[in-house]
Amino acid sequence: MLAAGDPLFADGVDLTVVLIVIAKTVVVFGAMLVSVLLLIWFERKLVADMQARIGPNRAGKFGVLQTLADGIKLFFKEDFLPTQADRRVYRLAPYLATVPAFLSFAIVPIGGTVTIAGHQTRLQLADPPVGILFLLAMSSIAVYGVMLAGWSSGSKYPLLGAVRGSAQMVSYEAALGLSTVAVVLVTGSLLTSDIVAGQSGEGLFGIIPNWNVLRLGFIPFVVFFIAGTAESNRPPFDLVEAEQELVGGFHTEYSALRFALFFLAEFMNTITISAIMVTLFLGGPSGPGPDSGLIGALLPVFWFLLKVFAMLCVFVWLRATLPRFRYDRLMDLGWKKLIPLSLAWLLIQAAFLVDVKWGIVVFTGAAVMGVLLWRAMEVGHGATEHEAPAPPKFQEVR
Amino acid sequence: MKALTTLIAMSGFLREYLTVLVFGAAAVAMVGAMLGAGSLLRPKRAQLQKYISYESGVDPVGTGWSQSQIRYYLFGLLFVMFEVETVFIFPWAVRLEDLGLFGLVEMVVFIAILALGLLYAWRKGVLRWM
């Protein structure tokens, strides 16, 4: 059984269809590059505002062109390939970091269905039958970019950064996958277009939207948000490039454009993870407004962009507010909190879907297990960890 | 030949990936074009000292290779366990409406066994970062 995908391919593939595909690709590609340029500027400016600085203000009005200026500068910088580096892998790593960052955006629905040149198509690059798995696969490949870049540099700090980073990314990937399952559970489909369609109706009282973030009871959203931040190595989870400890992290040895590509990939990932969060939990392009005509086609795109922008603001805000995690705390949060929590929530969700009666049973069971686990942790802490040494007393200087 | 016929039979399924393919090709082409343009534009003044690893600014001591903690490896193993499990959970999540109570009980048992594995690792101190 094939799930219904993009109606564009319903009558086979001919030249027009291929041209539409190429046109869609070019538009999305260009839009993504421009939005990365703007996001980097926006982030620098907003963080500067939060820290009572001015931020970039020289290139263009309000410094909007700052990123472009930086990018052009990096084109003219000499590129060093360290003699200790593994040349082939060192050259391959920027590709592995950048390409998945673009590709995972392909499954995000940007708007509704439109008709171009007699062909109906969704405003979405691709709608493969296993869209969600495709997303998870791409976020796994992104780990290779970090790992191979650090490993092939033939230098100590990049190696440490890469090993750390890949352990962090795989740890949070489990939590990311489990919180996505909760969305699949209520939708019953792996298609991103179905997930969005499932959230488009009206929810409670006709005012509150029928978004997954409400339907799933916040917890999968919160888990996904934290895990997504860690996956894209955004602060406060930017341990791969912790400047104070690892010089520049996994891309210490990279210079000029290859460095710029890692930078590009990082911000592209931020945009992609925001867009995916909007798709999975915040209703994607759905919002109030007319369904037909030009406005009906454009309004969903507007709602989508607005929601993505809101998510991006939250990411920038987090960066300006929170200090970086300590590595052991990071691992604790991933394995001891997020994964058990998302596993338990998944079962509760499933039980409520089957029957409310079973939902209450499983909820009680999960709550009991949680309390037991918490108690066990308390006991364990007392048994194994030494008490923190008393803070040194300062002598009064006379 | 057999692979080709299978591909044609699957083409309805694979058609959706046409866009992904074009998009991926565009991304690879962009990275390649940027690096190519960069290699044409940037100066090349080779000096031996420039190709020493930067590391932390001072001349590196020894090779770039160093041993890293075994814990990273253990976390890698745990990750494999959870990812494989996620692969099993996804099809179940899609079909839960049809499976009903049977599916729920099966998954409770499955996740309970998995949680036992995590608890074991926890108890053994694998999750504690020293």
Side-chain angles (χ1 to χ4, degrees):
Chain A
M1 185 196 76
L2 283 182
D6 196 334
L8 181 64
F9 300 108
D11 319 320
V13 180
D14 58 8
L15 190 65
T16 333
V17 171
V18 173
L19 283 180
I20 292 176
V21 164
I22 291 174
K24 282 205 300 192
T25 309
V26 169
V27 169
V28 171
F29 208 79
M32 283 185 80
L33 282 179
V34 172
S35 53
V36 166
L37 291 183
L38 288 177
L39 172 66
I40 296 176
W41 166 78
F42 175 72
E43 172 154 347
R44 289 176 67 177
K45 203 74 179 163
L46 196 62
V47 170
D49 277 349
M50 287 179 181
Q51 296 170 346
R53 293 185 286 119
I54 296 171
N57 66 346
R58 290 301 156 114
K61 195 91 177 148
F62 305 116
V64 176
L65 299 177
Q66 185 61 49
T67 322
L68 198 63
D70 289 345
I72 291 170
K73 186 185 84 174
L74 285 170
F75 264 99
F76 291 99
K77 290 290 171 189
E78 193 168 350
D79 195 6
F80 306 126
L81 206 158
T83 38
Q84 294 227 13
D86 187 329
R87 304 174 74 88
R88 271 191 207 153
V89 182
Y90 182 87
R91 288 206 176 106
L92 178 71
Y95 285 90
L96 281 176
T98 318
V99 175
F102 276 102
L103 273 182
S104 35
F105 194 83
I107 57 149
V108 173
I110 301 165
T113 311
V114 292
T115 310
I116 307 170
H119 284 86
Q120 272 210 331
T121 182
R122 289 214 182 91
L123 286 179
Q124 173 179 4
L125 270 180
D127 199 8
V130 288
I132 294 297
L133 295 184
F134 178 79
L135 165 75
L136 291 177
M138 284 305 129
S139 75
S140 299
I141 291 177
V143 181
Y144 281 102
V146 170
M147 185 66 210
L148 291 182
W151 179 78
S152 67
S153 291
S155 183
K156 298 176 197 79
Y157 292 111
L159 183 68
L160 280 174
V163 177
R164 246 189 198 194
S166 42
Q168 171 195 334
M169 283 160 97
V170 298
S171 296
Y172 281 81
E173 185 131 338
L176 193 81
L178 288 172
S179 52
T180 319
V181 174
V183 176
V184 176
L185 208 56
V186 287
T187 314
S189 168
L190 292 170
L191 282 159
T192 40
S193 54
D194 279 357
I195 289 171
V196 167
Q199 303 177 65
S200 63
E202 276 183 358
L204 284 173
F205 314 123
I207 316 164
I208 300 165
N210 196 23
W211 295 349
N212 275 341
V213 59
L214 301 171
R215 274 157 90 200
L216 298 173
F218 286 107
I219 285 180
F221 176 71
V222 172
V223 172
F224 192 94
F225 182 74
I226 296 172
T229 319
E231 273 293 299
S232 52
N233 295 320
R234 291 275 310 173
F237 299 104
D238 57 341
L239 281 107
V240 255
E241 40 194 303
E243 291 90 351
Q244 291 84 348
E245 304 151 30
L246 296 175
V247 190
F250 69 102
H251 52 49
T252 304
E253 298 297 334
Y254 281 85
S255 48
L257 266 184
R258 284 183 227 276
F259 167 74
L261 285 172
F262 282 112
F263 209 68
L264 178 76
E266 190 189 321
F267 281 88
M268 193 71 77
N269 273 326
T270 312
I271 294 180
T272 308
I273 204 80
S274 310
I276 285 163
M277 248 183 289
V278 168
T279 305
L280 292 182
F281 295 102
L282 301 178
S286 68
D291 282 338
S292 56
L294 188 65
I295 297 175
L298 286 180
L299 204 61
V301 182
F302 169 74
W303 288 123
F304 174 77
L305 292 178
L306 190 72
K307 289 172 190 172
V308 171
F309 180 69
M311 286 311 301
L312 288 176
C313 287
V314 175
F315 274 120
V316 176
W317 179 26
L318 280 185
R319 176 186 155 172
T321 311
L322 296 177
R324 188 177 296 127
F325 263 64
R326 215 171 69 191
Y327 201 81
D328 59 331
R329 293 280 174 87
L330 175 91
M331 284 304 192
D332 269 11
L333 178 67
W335 287 99
K336 296 184 181 173
K337 300 200 174 70
L338 292 187
I339 289 180
L341 181 67
S342 47
L343 274 177
W345 198 256
L346 179 70
L347 284 181
I348 293 168
Q349 199 93 53
F352 271 109
L353 269 181
V354 170
D355 199 300
V356 177
K357 177 176 70 192
W358 291 110
I360 292 163
V361 170
V362 171
F363 184 82
T364 321
V368 169
M369 292 299 282
V371 169
L372 283 178
L373 199 62
W374 177 73
R375 181 68 197 136
M377 273 168 84
E378 292 277 292
V379 173
H381 272 292
T384 51
E385 269 175 31
H386 300 292
E387 274 183 35
K393 287 194 179 92
F394 293 106
Q395 283 183 333
E396 260 184 66
V397 183
R398 251 171 263 171
Chain B
M1 195 60 212
K2 186 152 182 283
L4 194 68
T5 42
T6 324
L7 197 69
I8 291 166
M10 294 255 305
S11 65
F13 181 82
L14 287 177
R15 229 174 259 162
E16 291 289 334
Y17 290 97
L18 178 69
T19 331
V20 176
L21 200 70
V22 174
F23 199 52
V28 172
M30 187 212 66
V31 176
M34 274 176 76
L35 289 177
S39 73
L40 290 178
L41 290 172
R42 66 180 172 235
K44 287 177 209 69
R45 295 191 195 92
Q47 276 178 16
L48 211 56
Q49 289 90 330
K50 284 182 181 172
Y51 300 102
I52 302 172
S53 300
Y54 172 76
E55 226 171 73
S56 58
V58 292
D59 286 353
V61 179
T63 65
W65 292 103
S66 56
Q67 288 180 332
S68 49
Q69 267 185 331
I70 187 72
R71 283 180 196 279
Y72 290 111
Y73 177 69
L74 292 175
F75 275 104
L77 283 180
L78 272 179
F79 163 70
V80 170
M81 178 176 102
F82 271 91
E83 277 305 271
V84 170
E85 164 237 7
T86 316
V87 168
F88 284 118
I89 289 183
F90 265 106
W92 165 82
V94 175
R95 304 296 291 168
L96 180 69
E97 305 257 338
D98 305 333
L99 295 173
L101 188 60
F102 168 72
L104 178 67
V105 172
E106 289 278 303
M107 195 40 72
V108 168
V109 172
F110 182 68
I111 288 183
I113 293 171
L114 190 93
L116 270 183
L118 184 65
L119 269 181
Y120 178 72
W122 197 331
R123 184 73 187 81
K124 280 282 175 189
V126 175
L127 301 184
R128 215 151 66 110
W129 199 274
M130 307 286 279

